């Protein structure tokens, strides 16, 4: 079963990589298969739970403990029939899992459970039909019950984590305006099919992937593609479901049904990341594998020892089954899934979206956190602090008026600041044509027949334009230059306030011996000022998106385990290069596939919470693994009968109780996990 589900995950990932076309419908099938497996384990669990009460009451051992006497003609046979249903129906996933593990020559938990329940069943059945000894039917029943519960919880935790994501990706509108020959009719989004035509009005969300049939508008696709600027779309252009329309209205020819949309693909992608086994889960599997081998070898050795030294077959069998039952890795099976379930639910509640389990668990190894400045350490709200024209015929109002025409299509914090100032000055914004973004350096467009550019200081350097005499900006100001034609026309300085939580976040990182480094495209003065104010270890300024990647590599070559935080747009290459990519900001990043973790709020304290929570989660997993395997060190020799001559021998029942107690301890320990906010 484990093997099959792992294979299923691999298949799903491959389908998703195909992204569009046939891969999607196949992926949906994989998704449904997962849901069916959850439902199957749930059903088996409840059936076994129902049968547990009569099985327990009819068991001699339980009757002795409770001083009951429930025996009637054929009661032993009734118990046998009920236990047989539990064994074959409840144990079926484990028996088939044992078979597939044997085929794959990879013995693990399924082998041990399969073997233990088969031996217990065969021996107990023999006692019903004449063999001297006490049956283990109730142990068999509870064994299967707890294992079914464990698997059900594990699968639910994976599916539940994805549901948390889906809540955050509720971008898909419920309704669409379908264009009919004679009228526009409102329909539910999930009824849309290929070649339907829908109307998208200003400010609405696009209801389906498709191609614009008529009309044009600017679309904000930041939630989906990570591109922060609204993109102009006109006839023949593709649009993505979930993107937000600007001021125009247009008609779209639908490409495919909602369930196959790009947005659904993103949800699936995250789902698969949740599904992928992390290193700790693999550690649990390895521990289970060794425990299996130890249990089987010890069990058989125990049986042979007692049987060959003259004990009865019943006694030797009892010792063997006790050893195997005690060794059965219930607690081990739950050790990691329970922590995963708890940590994923808690993370989602605290705005930490874990897309990659391994990245999350590796948070404990982080030695350096590289912060992108704007919107992470700073509020990201730029306010214009000065407007300086450098040409005689220009005044401040004209300079900011021209700049605002380029910035009206941008979501960037600098653009927002300029537009706010224009609004305050009650200036009418002119139309811009031929709008183009210069990656990481600015924007250009034509305004009133003139080519206008709004660029960063880095652009001036790269294009060998001289920074004007008398240029002053204080250390905390970010400056953009306005170029008209090829002439430098002036500059606008904006300042951004440092977030109040930033200093605290940096201080906590210091206490944890984690270095904090500022990495920004902004000028050195601003970077130095922010870095100094926050008490950071160092800063790297005036870097372009592709250079950010190089800087991360440099840090890694010095042996640092680097977490990079960024907004998932120009930081994508660096996020991918970092050991752990953390996409920050509620928007551009849900689809930032390059990041292993997404922080829904742009709060730097969340990064610290994430690291501490990663450490706490890992500690819990290791504690659980240690407990789940450690108790065997004492219990196993006792089960084998090492102290039998001193009058101490664990019965299979006591073995099962010990095993159940260890499972409860693991469950309680997992539930104590908390996020330190």
């Amino acid at each position: 079963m484990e093997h099959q589900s792992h294979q299923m995950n691999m298949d799903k990932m491959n389908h998703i990589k195909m992204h569009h076309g046939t891969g999607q419908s196949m992926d949906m099938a994989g998704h449904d298969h997962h849901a069916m497996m959850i439902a199957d384990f749930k059903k088996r669990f409840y059936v076994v739970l129902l049968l547990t009460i009569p099985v327990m009451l009819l068991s001699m051992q339980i009757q002795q403990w409770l001083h009951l006497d429930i025996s009637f003609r054929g009661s032993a046979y009734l118990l046998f029939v009920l236990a047989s249903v539990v064994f074959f129906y409840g144990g079926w996933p484990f028996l088939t899992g044992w078979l597939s593990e044997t085929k794959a020559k990879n013995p693990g938990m399924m082998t041990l459970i399969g073997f233990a329940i088969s031996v217990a069943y065969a021996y107990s059945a023999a006692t019903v039909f004449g063999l001297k000894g006490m049956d283990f039917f109730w142990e068999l029943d509870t064994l299967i019950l707890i294992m079914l519960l464990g698997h059900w919880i594990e699968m639910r935790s994976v599916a539940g984590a994805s549901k948390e994501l889906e809540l955050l990706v509720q971008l898909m509108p419920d309704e669409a305006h379908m264009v009919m020959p004679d009228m526009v009719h409102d329909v539910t989004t999930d009824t849309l099919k290929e070649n339907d035509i829908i109307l998208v009005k200003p400010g609405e969300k696009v209801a389906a992937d498709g191609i614009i049939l008529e009309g044009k508008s600017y679309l904000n696709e930041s939630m989906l593609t990570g591109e922060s600027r609204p993109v102009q779309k006109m006839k023949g252009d593709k649009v993505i479901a979930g993107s937000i329309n600007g001021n125009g209205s247009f008609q779209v020819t639908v490409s495919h049904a909602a369930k196959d949309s790009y947005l659904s693909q993103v949800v699936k992608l995250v789902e698969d990341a949740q599904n992928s086994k992390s290193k700790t889960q693999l550690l649990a599997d390895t521990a289970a594998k060794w425990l299996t081998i130890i249990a089987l070898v010890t069990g058989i050795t125990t049986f042979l020892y007692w049987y060959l030294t003259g004990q009865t077959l019943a006694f030797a069998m009892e010792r063997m089954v006790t050893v195997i039952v005690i060794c059965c890795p219930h607690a081990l099976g739950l050790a990691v899934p329970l922590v995963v379930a708890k940590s994923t639910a808690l993370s989602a509640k605290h705005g930490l979206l874990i897309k990659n389990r391994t990245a999350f668990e590796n948070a404990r190894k982080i030695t350096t956190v590289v912060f992108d400045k704007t919107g992470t350490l700073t509020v990201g709200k730029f306010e214009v602090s000065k407007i300086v024209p450098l040409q005689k015929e220009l005044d401040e109002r004209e300079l900011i008026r021209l700049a605002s025409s380029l910035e009206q299509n941008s979501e960037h914090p600098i653009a927002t600041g300029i537009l706010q100032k224009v609004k305050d000055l009650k200036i009418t914004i002119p139309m811009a044509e031929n709008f183009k973004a210069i990656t990481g350096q600015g924007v250009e467009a034509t305004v009133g027949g003139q080519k206008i550019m709004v660029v960063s200081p880095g652009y001036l350097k790269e294009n060998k334009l001289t920074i004007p005499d008398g240029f002053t900006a204080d250390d905390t100001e970010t400056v953009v230059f306005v170029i008209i034609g090829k002439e430098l026309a002036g500059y606008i300085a904006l300042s951004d306030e440092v977030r109040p939580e930033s200093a605290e976040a940096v201080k906590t990182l210091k206490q944890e011996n984690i270095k904090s480094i500022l990495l920004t495209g902004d000028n050195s003065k601003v970077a130095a000022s922010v870095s100094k104010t926050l008490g950071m270890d160092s800063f790297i300024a005036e870097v372009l998106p592709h250079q950010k990647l190089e800087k991360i590599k440099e840090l890694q070559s010095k042996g640092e385990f680097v977490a990079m935080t960024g907004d998932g747009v120009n930081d994508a290459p660096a996020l991918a290069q970092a050991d752990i990519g953390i996409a920050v900001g509620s928007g551009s990043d849900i689809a930032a596939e390059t990041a292993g973790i997404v922080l829904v709020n742009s709060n730097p304290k969340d990064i610290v919470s994430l690291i501490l929570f990663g450490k706490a989660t890992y500690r819990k997993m290791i504690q659980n693994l240690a407990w789940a395997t450690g108790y065997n060190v004492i219990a196993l020799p006792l089960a084998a009968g090492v102290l039998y001559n001193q009058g101490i021998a664990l019965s299979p029942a006591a073995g099962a109780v010990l095993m159940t107690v260890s499972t409860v301890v693991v469950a309680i320990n997992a539930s104590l996990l908390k996020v330190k906010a």
Side-chain angles (χ1 to χ4, degrees):
M1 205 75 187
E2 295 278 31
H3 176 68
Q4 288 163 347
S5 76
H6 181 66
Q7 186 55 47
M8 188 186 90
N9 295 337
M10 293 309 295
D11 293 346
K12 280 174 72 179
M13 281 309 270
N14 292 336
H15 295 325
I16 283 176
K17 282 173 189 161
M18 292 160 74
H19 217 63
H20 279 290
T22 54
Q24 292 164 329
S25 53
M26 291 161 84
D27 171 58
M28 289 306 290
H31 182 53
D32 292 344
H33 179 50
H34 190 66
M36 275 163 61
M37 283 166 73
I38 294 176
D40 182 55
F41 272 99
K42 181 180 175 181
K43 193 165 85 183
R44 288 179 199 271
F45 170 74
Y46 280 119
V47 170
V48 173
L49 186 63
L50 262 170
L51 294 172
T52 299
I53 298 161
V55 167
M56 301 275 275
L57 289 174
L58 289 169
S59 292
M60 292 280 289
Q61 182 78 58
I62 302 286
Q63 288 183 28
Q64 281 176 15
W65 284 352
L66 299 177
H67 305 299
L68 293 172
D69 182 18
I70 309 171
S71 58
F72 46 85
R73 250 184 84 190
S75 61
Y77 297 110
L78 176 61
L79 176 60
F80 169 70
V81 169
L82 292 173
S84 298
V85 174
V86 169
F87 175 69
F88 287 108
Y89 179 71
W92 187 249
F94 309 114
L95 297 170
T96 51
W98 178 17
L99 188 67
S100 62
E101 280 184 359
T102 309
K103 275 187 191 160
K105 297 188 175 63
N106 183 22
M109 198 152 47
M110 293 297 180
T111 304
L112 195 48
I113 301 159
F115 185 76
I117 61 177
S118 300
V119 168
Y121 178 72
Y123 173 73
S124 303
T127 64
V128 174
F129 297 104
L131 182 74
K132 280 187 74 172
M134 196 181 277
D135 66 74
F136 303 151
F137 283 134
W138 79 270
E139 285 99 328
L140 170 73
D141 187 310
T142 51
L143 200 62
I144 290 172
L145 186 73
I146 293 176
M147 287 324 293
L148 285 170
L149 179 65
H151 278 72
W152 178 30
I153 286 176
E154 179 175 9
M155 291 171 147
R156 274 271 308 277
S157 75
V158 167
S162 312
K163 280 205 183 68
E164 300 285 2
L165 175 91
E166 285 180 54
L167 291 175
L168 292 162
V169 191
Q170 274 177 344
L171 293 175
M172 192 69 88
D174 297 330
E175 289 196 334
H177 313 300
M178 191 156 149
V179 180
M180 307 286 207
D182 51 346
M183 62 180 282
V184 174
H185 186 59
D186 284 356
V187 296
T188 57
T189 307
D190 52 16
T191 59
L192 292 174
K193 53 189 188 303
E194 199 178 342
N195 296 329
D196 281 348
I197 294 168
I198 56 171
L199 172 69
V200 182
K201 295 178 182 174
E204 289 186 338
K205 288 176 183 169
V206 178
D209 290 359
I211 290 164
I212 294 185
L213 182 64
E214 63 176 63
K216 62 178 181 178
S217 186
Y218 277 92
L219 260 68
N220 177 351
E221 296 180 340
S222 64
M223 291 291 249
L224 303 154
T225 61
E227 173 52 69
S228 65
R229 301 174 187 283
V231 186
Q232 189 174 22
K233 300 281 185 178
M234 44 186 62
K235 189 173 177 175
D237 287 343
K238 278 185 180 171
V239 291
I240 307 174
S243 46
I244 302 161
N245 185 18
N247 298 330
S249 70
F250 53 91
Q251 291 186 7
V252 176
T253 308
V254 177
S255 305
H256 41 230
K259 69 174 172 36
D260 297 327
S261 71
Y262 171 75
L263 189 56
S264 306
Q265 291 296 318
V266 172
V267 178
K268 300 287 169 300
L269 199 107
V270 176
E271 212 163 46
D272 278 309
Q274 298 282 0
N275 234 335
S276 63
K277 289 207 164 177
S278 67
K279 289 208 175 81
T280 324
Q281 177 66 61
L282 296 172
L283 178 66
D285 289 351
T286 310
K289 190 169 166 179
W290 278 105
L291 199 54
T292 303
I293 294 164
I294 292 164
L296 294 176
V297 172
T298 314
I300 292 162
T301 310
T302 302
F303 172 77
L304 292 172
Y305 173 79
W306 289 115
Y307 190 57
L308 297 174
T309 54
Q311 287 287 356
T312 61
L313 174 67
F315 180 84
M317 284 289 278
E318 186 181 61
R319 290 297 101 223
M320 175 169 86
V321 172
T322 309
V323 165
I324 290 173
V325 164
I326 269 198
C327 250
C328 202
H330 274 35
L332 200 52
L334 286 174
V336 174
L338 279 174
V339 179
V340 167
K342 181 79 176 171
S343 69
T344 315
L346 275 176
S347 305
K349 265 189 200 149
H350 287 78
L352 316 174
L353 247 189
I354 297 165
K355 285 171 57 183
N356 178 327
R357 293 284 333 162
T358 306
F360 173 58
E361 282 165 30
N362 282 342
R364 71 188 200 295
K365 297 182 192 168
I366 293 171
T367 57
T368 299
V369 179
V370 175
F371 287 95
D372 179 46
K373 178 178 72 77
T374 309
T376 308
L377 292 173
T378 60
V379 177
K381 265 198 181 155
F382 282 89
E383 287 176 359
V384 173
S385 47
K386 55 170 91 100
I387 306 164
V388 183
L390 297 168
Q391 292 180 358
K392 285 196 178 97
E393 62 276 18
L394 274 183
D395 64 4
E396 289 185 11
R397 286 177 72 88
E398 180 59 14
L399 187 69
I400 198 158
R401 186 181 83 92
L402 292 171
S404 69
S405 71
L406 272 70
E407 300 292 5
Q408 65 187 324
N409 300 323
S410 170
E411 295 289 310
H412 193 281
I414 289 178
T416 316
I418 289 175
L419 293 173
Q420 187 56 51
K421 186 70 175 172
V422 168
K423 208 172 166 185
D424 296 345
L425 295 170
K426 298 189 170 54
I427 295 172
T428 314
I429 301 173
M431 277 298 291
E433 292 164 334
N434 308 326
F435 179 85
K436 201 170 101 197
I438 313 160
T439 311
Q441 294 186 317
V443 285
E444 62 174 281
T446 311
V447 181
Q450 288 178 301
K451 186 183 170 196
I452 312 275
M453 298 171 87
V454 177
V455 295
S456 67
Y459 178 86
L460 295 192
K461 271 191 193 161
E462 208 163 281
N463 291 277
K464 304 196 169 40
L465 289 167
T466 48
I467 287 176
D469 296 334
F471 165 71
T472 56
D474 87 32
D475 291 354
T476 59
E477 285 178 326
T478 295
V479 178
V480 290
F481 291 92
V482 181
I483 297 170
I484 301 176
K486 292 202 166 129
E487 293 294 310
L488 191 57
Y491 62 88
I492 299 167
L494 301 99
S495 54
D496 180 11
E497 194 186 329
V498 172
R499 275 179 182 275
E501 310 94 347
S502 298
E504 208 179 313
V506 171
K507 190 175 152 200
T508 315
L509 287 175
K510 269 216 165 78
Q511 287 164 0
E512 293 286 319
N513 292 322
I514 296 169
K515 295 188 204 67
S516 51
I517 295 176
L518 178 63
L519 183 65
T520 179
D522 217 332
N523 69 59
S524 301
K525 279 186 171 177
V526 174
S529 167
V530 171
S531 170
K532 192 177 167 195
T533 308
L534 296 175
M536 297 176 81
D537 292 281
S538 63
F539 67 89
I540 305 162
E542 295 177 34
V543 281
L544 290 169
H546 65 275
Q547 293 170 322
K548 287 188 177 180
L549 171 87
E550 296 306 320
K551 298 292 180 191
I552 300 282
K553 274 190 183 163
E554 260 172 56
L555 287 166
Q556 287 170 326
S557 67
K558 293 175 189 161
E560 299 289 343
F561 195 90
V562 182
M564 163 77 190
T565 69
D567 61 9
V569 187
N570 59 1
D571 301 311
L575 287 172
Q577 176 61 38
D579 296 292
I580 297 174
I582 304 170
V584 180
S586 53
S588 61
D589 36 28
I590 288 197
E593 292 169 21
T594 43
I597 295 156
V598 176
L599 300 186
V600 179
N601 308 311
S602 311
N603 187 340
K605 274 175 75 179
D606 285 351
I607 295 163
V608 179
S609 296
L610 174 84
I611 295 170
L612 298 177
F613 188 49
K615 285 184 174 180
T617 300
Y618 187 77
R619 265 199 311 274
K620 280 275 177 258
M621 287 181 176
I622 296 302
Q623 282 165 9
N624 275 359
L625 289 177
W627 173 262
T629 48
Y631 89 102
N632 286 306
V633 175
I634 296 165
L636 203 141
L638 290 178
V642 169
L643 297 178
Y644 178 67
N645 294 332
Q646 281 72 41
I648 300 170
L650 288 178
S651 69
V657 168
L658 259 179
M659 186 194 62
T660 310
V661 167
S662 76
T663 310
V664 171
V665 168
V666 162
I668 291 170
N669 191 33
S671 70
L672 295 173
L673 187 65
K674 281 185 181 66
V675 175
K676 288 196 183 80

